[in-house]
Every structure is written in structure tokens, then in C-alpha cells.
Amino acid sequence: MNSLTEENYLKALLALSTNSDEVSINDLAKHLDIKMPTVTSMMKKLASKKLVQYESYKPVKLTKKGKQEAAIIVRKHRLTEMFLVEKMGFGWEQVHDIAEQIEHIKSPPFFDKMDELLGFPKLDPHGSPIPDKTGKIVWKHYEKLSDCKKGDTLMLSAVLNSSADFLKFLNSRNLKLGTHIIIDAIEPFDGTMSVSIGKRKEILSGLVCEKLLVENITH
Amino acid sequence: MNSLTEENYLKALLALSTNSDEVSINDLAKHLDIKMPTVTSMMKKLASKKLVQYESYKPVKLTKKGKQEAAIIVRKHRLTEMFLVEKMGFGWEQVHDIAEQIEHIKSPPFFDKMDELLGFPKLDPHGSPIPDKTGKIVWKHYEKLSDCKKGDTLMLSAVLNSSADFLKFLNSRNLKLGTHIIIDAIEPFDGTMSVSIGKRKEILSGLVCEKLLVENITH
DNA sequence: ATAATTTATTAGTCTATTCTAACTTTGTAG
DNA sequence: CTACAAAGTTAGAATAGACTAATAAATTAT
Ligand SMILES: [Mn+2]
Ligand SMILES: [Mn+2]
Ligand SMILES: [Mn+2]
Ligand SMILES: [Mn+2]
């Protein structure tokens, strides 16, 4: 059984493996806000448990086993978020921090029951896929709003940042999953977009646009 | 903020304070299944946090502050058990172990929401009172079945043991909170009782009878 | 009032997780 | 191909929590 600490390392490794599946000690240290030597020694420990592949001075890689166990934590995190929103009435900006703790609860029946009560959801409240019980994760083919072009009509489908601050910002602009966005103009210098959300006109900074995943529904 | 470990010590102290409000290191060690020297050093730590009163070679006592913080953990534990039974469909024999973990979640809104969704319950699924937010705990005046006499008609109101084994035993005898019990005979030697539960006749050992709290409803 | 037993404390060790300081390796810019 | 910066490792120390062995205090039994 992995400790809470080990589980958080596994989850961070998975989160940082989206592109290359190789993760540097430095990135991991920054992501977890832990110093590099601490990370190095934890990598040795996880390697001894066959959860990562580790060699001195090289980036780390999750093994199949490590990937699977990380995905199970993510599953528990996302099921929890969905439960908090759908069954307990929390806002999507309130659930991440609670889920960060509940994901470590050891009780398969507890999460199975959530899953069942929710009707076996495929997505969490932020649009991210809920891994299945075997650890498989299937992302739909979304694109970043920042990669879309002027005139496109898009549907907000997922957010890449679940911090309360960011989500409260989206709330204040009436941006929810499913909301339609039309790109009126793009500032070439910094990627700031002028968009229409329903009847309202809004300005979204490049940084915000990079965190919004959309589906192109231009007619 | 107290650690999970400290919280479990506080809860044990409160549980063992029911009578005398003084707790011996030895009892605490047995209750927590931890060796005495470890308990001694934790008592020193809790004393430095003003949560217990500790002097060498004397029994420990929870301070007002310690009692309050312990009760808040118990509140979270019992709200959780109630939520698991009432809102998630678990049996009363399944919830204690999950609550033992969830009681340590740091999120007042999470437990407030449970409380609200449950309609501010006063009792948990095992008949124990749910402490209020200030830490006050009010037990109703129940008596132990083992203290009742032949001919009494009683209503099962609470159980003093929440282990899955014990509760599964009660399930198998159709004993639930609210069930009526009539004492047909008491074996003087060991306190074994012959009782009527509805139309059924059952035999309950003295040990079982001591764990059942009842309300006397003899006409 | 002793002796025996039980309870509690000290001292020293261990594992898990983290840190800082110092050193080494790798990668990059001339 | 050096020289410097960035990334990574080693060594040593700290804290939380738990253990064992040895010792001391308090209780109980004779
Ligand atoms: Mn989240
Ligand atoms: Mn976490
Ligand atoms: Mn319980
Ligand atoms: Mn607990």
C-alpha cells in the first residue's frame, strides 16, 4: 500500500507525463513544491517499488504499474469532485481542495458507491476524463482556445486549471462547460482574444485562453 | 492544526473519559494498540499544546480545549457515518472504518454540507449523539440491556460497539435501532438473556447485552 | 512492612519525509 | 573546446511517530 506522500508523487508524475512521459526531477520538485534532493530520494524509493524507472541524471518515467496506480488516485479525485458537485451542491471552484484529501481514502466500496450514485460518469466537473477502474484515461480531442482562429464558434469543454481563483474568474464571466464562445478578434502580440459569450463581449488574456479546452462547432 | 495521529489520540482520550475523565497511560496504550512509552511522549506533546493535563505517574485528563477538539473529530466521524448510511446507502456495519478516515478531512464546509443535507441530525446510525459545533455532547438516558430485569419491554436505542462483526451479528438477529425486546428470562450465572424480538425467541450472551443500550417502554 | 506485580518513564534506535550545503554531471554559449 | 549555468546527487541533520530494553514509581498481596 502506498503512503499518502507516495500517492501525491505518483499523481504529480502522471500529470507531468502528458507530453513526453519523461519527467525531470526539477519539474517534479517545482510541481510538488519540494526540494530536488527530497525528490531524488523518493524516486529511488518508487523505483524500488517498481513504480518508476530511474537512473541517475536521467529523467524519470512511470512504469505501467506506476501509471496504473497514479490513474486510480486520479479516478478517486475526479469521482469525488463530481460527487461533491452533483450530489452535495458544491460549486466547481470549491471541490478540488477537498478532493485532494479524499483521494487518499482507502475504501474501494466508498468510491464504487459514488460512481454508482453518479451513474458512472465519464467526466469530472472540470471536463477532465475520469479514469476507469483499470486506470485507462481517454481524453476527447479538444483544442486549446488559444489555438483557435478568428471567427470560430466554440464550446467550452474542459479547463486545464482547477484553482478556485481561476474558476471564480470564469464564473464572473459566465463561462461554464457547454458555454458557446465566438472569437471576434485576436491580438497578435500577446494572444489576447475578444470574444462573444452569448450577447456579452469579453476580453480573455492569452494565459486564460491556454487553459480553456474547446470543441470547434463552427457551422 | 493537529495531525491525524494527534487527532486519534484525542478521540481515544475522550472515549476513555466517559466515567472518571481521568485516563491511564496503560488504558490509552491498549485502546490505541500502541506501546506505553510512545503514549507517554505523545502526552507530553499534547500537554505542551494545552490539550491535556499531564504529570508524571498520574493519569491524564483532557483540558477543556482538548475535550472540545476531540468532540469536533467525533462530530465529523458521526456526521460521516450518518451521511454514508442515509445518503449513500451503506449498511450501519460498513460505515465505521470509512468514517475513521474521513473524520480527518480538513474542510468545515464539507461537514457543514453533510449536516445540512442530513437535516441537522442529532444521532448517528449507531444511536450515539452527534456533538454540536461547539463540542457539546448530550447522551439520552439509556440503560444497558444487561441492567434490565425479567419481563421488561425495551426498545433498542444505541449500540456501544460499532465493529462490523458485532453489527452483522445484530443484523442476523433482526436487531435494529427501534426494535422492541422483551426479556423472557435471565441466566443468573452469566447474564445470558432469553428474549422475544417480535415473534422470534433469541438468546443473547451477557457480553452482547452489555453493548446494547435500551429505553424501557414496559407498560 | 515487605515483596511481588503492574504501571510509567528514560534512553536509545528506527523509518518516513523533509531540509541545507557542498559537490558532480550535463548542457549550452562562445 | 572551454567556461558557466542548470540540473542532479551526496552527505548530514531535523522532526514526527513508533519500538525495545532497562529502570523507577506506584499498587497490591502477603
Ligand atoms: Mn481537481
Ligand atoms: Mn492529494
Ligand atoms: Mn463509528
Ligand atoms: Mn481516525
Side-chain angles (χ1 to χ4, degrees):
Chain A
M1 193 59 47
N2 303 314
S3 69
L4 181 151
T5 306
E6 291 168 332
E7 289 188 345
N8 283 334
Y9 275 91
L10 288 175
K11 208 158 59 98
L13 280 161
L14 185 63
L16 295 173
S17 302
T18 35
N19 314 312
S20 44
D21 83 61
E22 296 203 324
V23 182
S24 74
I25 302 289
N26 198 235
D27 286 353
L28 199 44
K30 278 174 185 151
H31 189 87
L32 290 166
D33 194 24
I34 281 177
K35 295 295 183 290
M36 277 199 289
T38 309
V39 172
T40 297
S41 63
M42 180 57 86
M43 289 310 102
K44 289 176 179 171
K45 193 209 241 193
L46 294 183
S48 79
K49 297 175 90 172
K50 308 281 184 216
L51 294 167
V52 304
Q53 232 176 280
Y54 169 76
E55 284 174 276
S56 277
Y57 296 105
K58 290 211 235 159
V60 217
K61 217 192 286 195
L62 279 171
T63 61
K64 178 152 292 189
K65 186 181 173 215
K67 228 174 276 182
Q68 219 237 335
E69 299 192 9
I72 294 303
I73 317 291
V74 172
R75 173 178 166 79
K76 295 196 287 179
H77 181 103
R78 293 184 180 161
L79 276 175
T80 299
E81 289 187 338
M82 201 59 179
F83 188 87
L84 291 171
V85 168
E86 295 297 318
K87 301 297 174 186
M88 295 188 73
F90 284 98
W92 71 340
E93 78 284 2
Q94 302 176 287
V95 298
H96 178 80
D97 291 347
I98 302 176
E100 202 59 51
Q101 301 176 63
I102 294 194
E103 68 191 2
H104 304 291
I105 299 292
K106 262 68 176 184
S107 170
F110 178 59
F111 295 99
D112 286 349
K113 189 70 87 171
M114 275 190 188
D115 197 19
E116 183 195 323
L117 290 170
L118 288 166
F120 311 102
K122 294 274 175 292
L123 300 174
D124 83 3
H126 310 111
S128 300
I130 297 173
D132 72 19
K133 287 172 104 168
T134 73
K136 193 162 48 175
I137 309 177
V138 188
W139 272 97
K140 294 206 186 138
H141 339 111
Y142 299 135
E143 41 192 335
K144 292 184 183 167
L145 177 57
S146 52
D147 294 335
C148 298
K149 55 187 201 304
K150 181 177 164 178
D152 282 353
T153 300
L154 309 152
M155 185 173 73
L156 180 57
S157 301
V159 295
L160 289 177
N161 179 318
S162 302
S163 71
D165 278 350
F166 181 64
L167 298 174
K168 277 191 245 175
F169 165 78
L170 297 184
N171 286 346
S172 75
R173 298 301 191 279
N174 247 41
L175 279 165
K176 307 185 225 304
L177 298 192
T179 297
H180 289 197
I181 301 171
I182 298 169
I183 301 178
D184 299 324
I186 305 175
E187 180 61 52
F189 173 60
D190 62 1
T192 297
M193 288 186 173
S194 305
V195 302
S196 296
I197 301 170
K199 299 164 218 284
R200 275 166 302 101
K201 304 283 184 187
E202 300 287 353
I203 304 292
L204 302 175
S205 75
L207 277 176
V208 166
C209 295
E210 273 174 30
K211 297 298 180 193
L212 300 178
L213 294 185
V214 298
E215 207 180 308
N216 199 314
I217 55 172
T218 309
H219 302 304
Chain B
M1 195 58 49
N2 303 313
S3 68
L4 180 150
T5 305
E6 292 167 332
E7 289 187 346
N8 283 333
Y9 275 91
L10 288 175
K11 207 158 59 99
L13 280 161
L14 185 64
L16 295 173
S17 302
T18 35
N19 315 311
S20 44
D21 83 62
E22 295 202 325
V23 182
S24 73
I25 302 289
N26 198 235
D27 286 354
L28 198 44
K30 278 174 185 152
H31 189 87
L32 290 167
D33 194 25
I34 280 176
K35 296 294 184 288
M36 279 198 289
T38 308
V39 172
T40 297
S41 64
M42 181 57 86
M43 289 310 101
K44 289 177 180 172
K45 193 208 240 193
L46 294 183
S48 79
K49 297 176 90 172
K50 307 281 184 215
L51 294 167
V52 304
Q53 233 177 278
Y54 169 76
E55 285 174 275
S56 277
Y57 296 105
K58 291 213 233 155
V60 215
K61 217 191 287 194
L62 279 171
T63 61
K64 177 152 292 189
K65 186 182 173 213
K67 228 175 278 182
Q68 219 237 335
E69 299 193 9
I72 295 303
I73 318 291
V74 172
R75 173 178 165 78
K76 296 196 286 178
H77 181 104
R78 294 184 179 161
L79 276 175
T80 299
E81 289 187 338
M82 201 60 179
F83 188 87
L84 291 171
V85 167
E86 295 296 318
K87 300 298 174 188
M88 295 187 73
F90 284 99
W92 70 340
E93 79 283 2
Q94 302 176 287
V95 298
H96 178 80
D97 290 346
I98 301 176
E100 202 59 51
Q101 301 176 65
I102 294 193
E103 68 191 1
H104 305 291
I105 299 292
K106 263 68 176 182
S107 171
F110 178 58
F111 295 99
D112 287 348
K113 189 69 88 173
M114 274 189 189
D115 197 20
E116 184 194 322
L117 291 170
L118 288 166
F120 311 102
K122 293 274 176 290
L123 300 173
D124 82 3
H126 309 111
S128 299
I130 297 173
D132 71 18
K133 286 172 103 167
T134 73
K136 192 161 49 175
I137 309 178
V138 188
W139 271 97
K140 293 207 186 139
H141 339 111
Y142 298 136
E143 40 192 337
K144 291 183 184 168
L145 177 56
S146 52
D147 293 334
C148 298
K149 55 186 202 304
K150 182 176 162 178
D152 283 353
T153 300
L154 309 152
M155 185 172 73
L156 180 58
S157 300
V159 295
L160 288 178
N161 179 320
S162 301
S163 71
D165 278 350
F166 181 62
L167 297 174
K168 277 192 245 174
F169 165 78
L170 297 184
N171 286 346
S172 75
R173 299 300 191 281
N174 247 42
L175 279 165
K176 308 184 225 302
L177 297 191
T179 296
H180 289 198
I181 302 172
I182 298 169
I183 302 179
D184 299 324
I186 305 175
E187 180 60 52
F189 173 62
D190 62 359
T192 297
M193 289 186 172
S194 305
V195 302
S196 296
I197 301 171
K199 300 166 216 282
R200 276 166 301 101
K201 304 283 184 188
E202 300 286 353
I203 304 291
L204 302 176
S205 75
L207 277 177
V208 166
C209 295
E210 274 174 29
K211 297 299 179 190
L212 299 179
L213 293 185
V214 296
E215 207 179 309
N216 199 313
I217 55 173
T218 308
H219 302 303

